[in-house]
Every structure is written in structure tokens, then in C-alpha cells.
Amino acid sequence: MNPKTTLRFEGLALFAAATAAYFTLGGPVWLFLLLALAPDVSMLGYRAGPVAGSRLYNVFHTTVGPVALGAAGVLLGVTPLVWIALVWGAHIGADRAIGYGLKYPTGFTDTHLGSRNVRNGPAVELSGDSGGISLSETTERTQRGELFDDEAGRV
């Protein structure tokens, strides 16, 4: 199986498990609906450019945050924190399942699951600045062992 397909199935499993756990723990439907798209507010970071945008987006679209929040909720006995963590995890899983991945600093549509063109990607490109290099050039340079410069966000 293609690794991208595997990651998408993994996302589907995360979405299903987090959603089932949320409702099993008595989470209200209204809260699930209210928080379901909350991590996507991080896309506003792209207004500051693709480097800042990708960094902010990725902070809210990795599983570290919801796992830490959920663990804190369990350890402190605060069920609403666990609910929020589960909705956050479900959001990340749904994104992965439909092919949205972590972002590269070259532009919003360049993700770890591949580049998404306008027809298959988001309805609006949030940044017209591609960072000066294409995804294929980024891939080639990465394969040659060149890494991203943390300050410039470029290869």
C-alpha cells in the first residue's frame, strides 16, 4: 500500500476513535460541532506569509497538542479538557483522511501528503507567495540532503 494511503487510513482511524471516545465520555454534540473546525483558525497565520503560516498551522495540526491536553485532563480529572482534546484529535484525523497534511513553508498547498492543486485543494489559496521554490525543487533538494534554513524557511 502507498504510504500516503496508509497515512490517510491512519487519519480515518484517529477520527473514528476520537469521535467514539468523545461521545462515550458523554461529550455534548453542540461542543463537538463548535470545536470541530477550531484548529483551522490557525490558517490565519498565512496572512503573515508561508513560513509563519506553515509553522502556526502545523502546531495546531500535529497530535502532540491533543495528546498532551488529553493527558492533562485525565491526570487532573477535568473531563472537558479530555473532550476538547478528543475533538482536536478527531479534526486532525479527518484532515489526514481527506488528504490534508502538515504544511511545508513553500506554500499552503504543499503538504507531507503531497501537493494539492487548486482544483483538488482548498477553495482559497491563503498565500500567493510560494516562498520562491516549487515543491518538486524542495523534494529534490531534500533528497540531496539539503535542509530547510529555520530563519528563511527556504532550502
Side-chain angles (χ1 to χ4, degrees):
M1 183 180 297
N2 179 324
K4 291 177 188 175
T5 303
T6 302
L7 289 172
R8 291 178 78 169
F9 278 118
E10 182 179 70
L12 181 61
L14 174 58
F15 171 76
T19 301
Y22 176 85
F23 289 110
T24 298
L25 292 175
V29 173
W30 67 266
L31 184 62
F32 190 91
L33 296 174
L34 179 71
L35 297 176
L37 297 177
D40 284 341
V41 172
S42 65
M43 288 189 284
L44 292 175
Y46 277 91
R47 296 181 63 84
V51 174
S54 64
R55 287 180 180 169
L56 184 62
Y57 182 91
N58 289 344
V59 164
F60 285 94
H61 286 83
T62 60
T63 57
V64 175
V67 167
L69 183 63
V74 168
L75 292 173
L76 297 172
V78 182
T79 304
L81 289 181
V82 177
W83 291 342
I84 294 167
L86 289 168
V87 175
W88 190 0
H91 172 92
I92 293 168
D95 272 3
R96 296 297 186 283
I98 61 174
Y100 288 98
L102 298 175
K103 309 301 184 197
Y104 287 105
T106 52
F108 184 79
T109 59
D110 296 338
T111 79
H112 83 288
L113 295 175
S115 184
R116 296 183 61 93
N117 62 34
V118 175
R119 185 178 61 213
N120 295 327
V124 176
E125 176 70 24
L126 296 177
S127 172
D129 178 10
S130 67
I133 73 173
S134 68
L135 180 61
S136 60
E137 183 179 349
T138 302
T139 302
E140 290 169 12
R141 288 184 178 184
T142 302
Q143 288 172 345
R144 290 194 306 261
E146 299 172 11
L147 302 175
F148 281 103
D149 175 345
D150 285 339
E151 294 304 312
R154 297 182 183 176
V155 182

